[in-house]
Amino acid sequence: MEKLTFYALSAPEKLDRIGAYLSERLIRDVSRHRYGYVCIAMEALDQLLMACHCQSINLFVESFLKMVAKLLESEKPNLQILGTNSFVKFANIEEDTPSYHRSYDFFVSRFSEMCHSSHDDPDVRTKIRMSGIKGLQGVVRKTVNDELQANIWDPQHMDKIVPSLLFNLQHAEEAESRSPSPLQAAEKEKESPTELAERCLRELLGRAAYGNIKNAIKPVLIHLDNHTLWEPKVFAIRCFKIIMYSIQPQHSHLVIQQLLGHLDANSKSAATVRAGIVEVLSEAAVIAASGSVGPTVLEVFNTLLRQLRLSIDYALTGSYDGAASAKIIKEHEERMFQEAVIKTIGSFASTLPTYQRSEVMLFIMSKVPLPSLHQAIEAGKAGENRNRLTQIMLLKSLLQVSLGFQCSNMLTALPSSFLDRLLSAALMEDAEIRLFVLEILISFIDRHGNRHKFSTISTISDISVLKLKVDKCSRQDTVFMKKHAQQLYRHIYLTCKEESNVQAHYEALYSMLVLISIELANEEVVVDLIRLVLAVQEIAQINEDNLPAYNRCALYALGAAYLNLLSQLTTVPTFCQHVHEVIQMRQKEAPYLLPEDVFVERPRLSRSLDRLGPEVFFRQSKISEVLGGSGYNSDRLSTPYIPQLTDEDRLSKRKSIGETISLQVEVESRNSPEREERAPAEEITYETLKKAIADGVAVEEQERERRRQVVEKFQKAPFEEIAAHCGARATLLQSKLNQIFEITIRPPPSPSGTITAAYGQPQSHSIPVYEMKFPDLCVY
């Protein structure tokens, strides 16, 4: 070998002939089963390769590769392993000149085949598989950096390499789970192909450039589909963790886009499969570096929200395509999928910078179907169910996005377009939706992590134990409260009046009030909050809405707990004293008006709420007096809070768009040309009045029926009929306007009277404005 190596180095042009001779000998020896000579020939080739790194190595390599291919074709495992080892040594040599004509297609196919070896002997099988993985690693190393060689990233190669590596990852995982003892597991780990396959996969992905990521990820998705590996999802998550940590960080959004595309492609697959893909997405999003979800951030959320809507449809209709489907849809599986989507939306949002999160929240809010004039809502029972489920799912998603959202400027965090839509959802009849809205608002307002300190409502005697983080109200916060405070108070007030409220609602309302006091309060806000809470106490006292005893007691308890906390925040001793006195009176005479008795598993209530003395209530006059002495605006304090009611309250209670226009329709229909003229007023006598009282109910019924007919007409009448009706009304209006214009524009009578035209008809003589004579006092 020494002589041969010396000869090859001193006469490099002879290398190709040496290679050809050795190749010929090896092929002959393989066919004659003279394996000792085969090993000698391969040893010689390996040593020559290691020694000769000159430019003429290319021709020698051809002979070498032919010999390796011959060994790999053999059925003997030892020869396959020998050939692979030689190939790996060759792969580690960095050649000076590229090869234009070398092909590795055979090696990729053969090594992939070895990776899937199913030899009877487990040890031999493991060795062959490891050789296959090493071989693939060698091919990747040899070709990945050389642009002139075969492109390893082509789908034809990737579709063999990636599944082979995944097969070994997956297979080893199964073997480990069956291993009888930890010691044996450790031994298997040493010789197992798993680590090797993972290392090879990481190396492959780490070398992937921007344009090649897609070809590397597609086989992974196909492999997971073919082997139904989305459902247990453990292996799928492991694969994508390897992928996300191996690729260059700036490419991570490409993986996420491919996963989203795959989710769309599987939109009619079983819920468990879709849930698996979404779980993987969620894990990938957490790993993706902040801000690298890519330029199509809204597209990500759009896809997820579309899948959410589809899932709701599937759960309601019970089929994937609206027709009777062979696949049975299980509602609990769809619900599990919906929860997975919501979790993923939260994961994505947590990786985004603040400004993008604001955009995402606006985007999600714009998708929430609200019963307002601007957005059509599906009618009927199924439509109502779909709308309700969509509203709940989207608000859940919004809550996930808003968790941990930190924004110093509330005006940018809660723009009017977003806040208006969110608050209109706060007035809906559905208790669950109202609770979500409150939670979302709380997560926005709580910027110092105080929320968890108010999870239970209580009249705590010293709030210093809560260790609240309180900052001075900034200028932006003051501007925000000037702009939106009345809106917030109104919605808190109206939410308190809802009969379907449960303990969670009162806890959320309490947190909301306290957080506004801590985060956004100046003196004016404190005064308004006190007025608001006193108005809430009045709701329970007067009880116009016939609230149940629990709701009334809860409102009293809420007011007591809040004023107790606020009085300690304002640090006005006389105010604290008044609040403390009222709480003490309640403890003695009416403990059922305090949170400790109301917000428990079995609340102790009283039916005699209307016979309570004034000493157990917080009095506006007293609070105004004590705070007025400390520099607060006593005039404003002594004015009771009355919420301004707007159209929004009426609209958000409506269930269908048809009903919301009934009021306008009614007003318009009274002036319509089709409406019959009213009968002349009757003479009012004793009999008439008696009859009116008796027929009051009937008249009301008729009025309700008339309204229903008008609404029905506008909902169901053909377009032409409505157009004709509106056209007639427009014509009537135009004729009236023409009359008015004629009266107002008629010129003053001319001095010479009317000028008679040739046909004998009097003709008006108009004088231009600039010739008219005005009295001096009329001229400015």
Side-chain angles (χ1 to χ4, degrees), residues 46 49-50 53 57 88-95 142:
D46 287 349
L49 263 179
M50 292 296 134
H53 286 213
I57 198 173
V88 171
K89 285 176 191 168
F90 158 69
N92 290 329
I93 295 172
E94 288 187 21
E95 295 179 58
K142 200 73 195 156

Side-chain angles (χ1 to χ4, degrees), residues 12 29 105 124 130 228 260 301 386 414 497 628 638 659 674 775:
D29 290 337
D105 292 12
V124 174
M130 285 188 75
T228 58
L260 287 166
F301 289 93
R386 185 174 284 111
L414 289 169
K497 294 175 83 164
S638 53
E659 289 179 48
E674 291 170 19

Side-chain angles (χ1 to χ4, degrees), residues 34 45 67 132 167 181 227 239 285 421 459 544 619 631 664 666 723 757 762 767 770:
R34 296 161 73 179
L45 275 171
M67 291 164 72
F167 173 77
S181 72
H227 295 266
C239 280
R421 287 184 67 81
T459 50
E544 284 177 348
R619 295 194 302 284
Q664 291 123 307
E666 190 186 325
I767 302 168
Y770 55 84

Side-chain angles (χ1 to χ4, degrees), residues 310-341:
L310 278 173
S311 175
I312 290 167
D313 284 351
Y314 295 158
L316 287 171
T317 57
S319 72
Y320 289 119
D321 45 12
S325 176
K327 295 177 185 171
I328 298 166
I329 291 178
K330 293 173 183 165
E331 209 169 316
H332 71 275
E333 285 182 357
E334 287 297 340
R335 198 165 295 119
M336 185 185 73
F337 168 70
Q338 289 158 16
E339 292 299 330
V341 171

Side-chain angles (χ1 to χ4, degrees), residues 116-172:
H116 289 85
S117 166
S118 55
H119 198 280
D120 297 337
D121 184 342
D123 291 336
V124 174
R125 185 168 66 226
T126 301
K127 282 177 183 170
I128 294 174
R129 286 185 180 182
M130 285 188 75
S131 288
I133 296 165
K134 283 177 185 168
L136 287 177
Q137 195 173 23
V139 174
V140 170
R141 282 182 184 167
K142 200 73 195 156
T143 56
V144 82
N145 291 328
D146 193 346
E147 290 177 10
L148 295 168
Q149 295 201 11
N151 189 0
I152 201 72
W153 300 108
D154 284 347
Q156 63 191 38
H157 298 313
M158 281 290 121
D159 289 350
K160 293 172 187 168
I161 294 172
V162 174
S164 303
L165 298 174
L166 293 178
F167 173 77
N168 281 284
L169 271 174
Q170 174 196 344
H171 188 82

Side-chain angles (χ1 to χ4, degrees), residues 280-470:
V280 170
L281 256 172
S282 175
E283 295 288 337
V286 173
I287 297 165
S290 176
S292 77
V293 178
T296 54
V297 172
L298 291 182
E299 190 51 45
V300 171
F301 289 93
N302 199 19
T303 303
L304 289 170
L305 294 180
R306 184 168 62 246
Q307 289 299 327
L308 202 56
R309 193 166 280 244
L310 278 173
S311 175
I312 290 167
D313 284 351
Y314 295 158
L316 287 171
T317 57
S319 72
Y320 289 119
D321 45 12
S325 176
K327 295 177 185 171
I328 298 166
I329 291 178
K330 293 173 183 165
E331 209 169 316
H332 71 275
E333 285 182 357
E334 287 297 340
R335 198 165 295 119
M336 185 185 73
F337 168 70
Q338 289 158 16
E339 292 299 330
V341 171
I342 289 165
K343 181 187 158 200
T344 305
I345 286 172
S347 301
F348 266 115
S350 64
T351 67
L352 298 177
T354 307
Y355 72 94
Q356 276 188 327
R357 274 176 92 168
S358 297
E359 279 178 27
V360 168
M361 286 187 275
L362 273 169
F363 179 71
I364 295 175
M365 196 66 226
S366 70
K367 299 268 181 190
V368 178
L370 294 172
S372 66
L373 280 171
H374 314 295
Q375 196 165 352
I377 274 204
E378 295 174 59
K381 188 78 179 147
E384 273 180 37
N385 283 344
R386 185 174 284 111
N387 289 327
R388 182 181 172 277
L389 279 170
T390 309
Q391 285 158 354
I392 287 172
M393 289 301 163
L394 290 177
L395 287 170
K396 262 190 185 178
S397 309
L398 198 55
L399 182 58
Q400 282 290 324
V401 177
S402 65
L403 288 175
F405 179 69
Q406 294 289 329
C407 188
S408 54
N409 189 349
M410 290 296 288
L411 277 170
T412 52
L414 289 169
S416 297
S417 54
F418 176 80
L419 195 62
D420 291 348
R421 287 184 67 81
L422 185 62
L423 289 177
S424 71
L427 297 176
M428 296 184 78
E429 288 172 356
D430 195 291
E432 198 177 349
I433 290 174
R434 290 202 309 276
L435 188 58
F436 278 127
V437 173
L438 286 170
E439 292 290 347
I440 291 163
L441 283 168
I442 287 165
S443 63
F444 274 114
I445 297 170
D446 181 22
R447 292 169 295 179
H448 293 91
N450 290 314
R451 162 77 168 107
H452 65 279
K453 296 168 187 174
F454 318 120
S455 52
T456 53
I457 308 179
S458 63
T459 50
I460 189 166
S461 55
D462 180 15
I463 62 163
S464 60
V465 297
L466 295 177
K467 295 180 181 166
L468 299 175
K469 293 176 189 169
V470 185

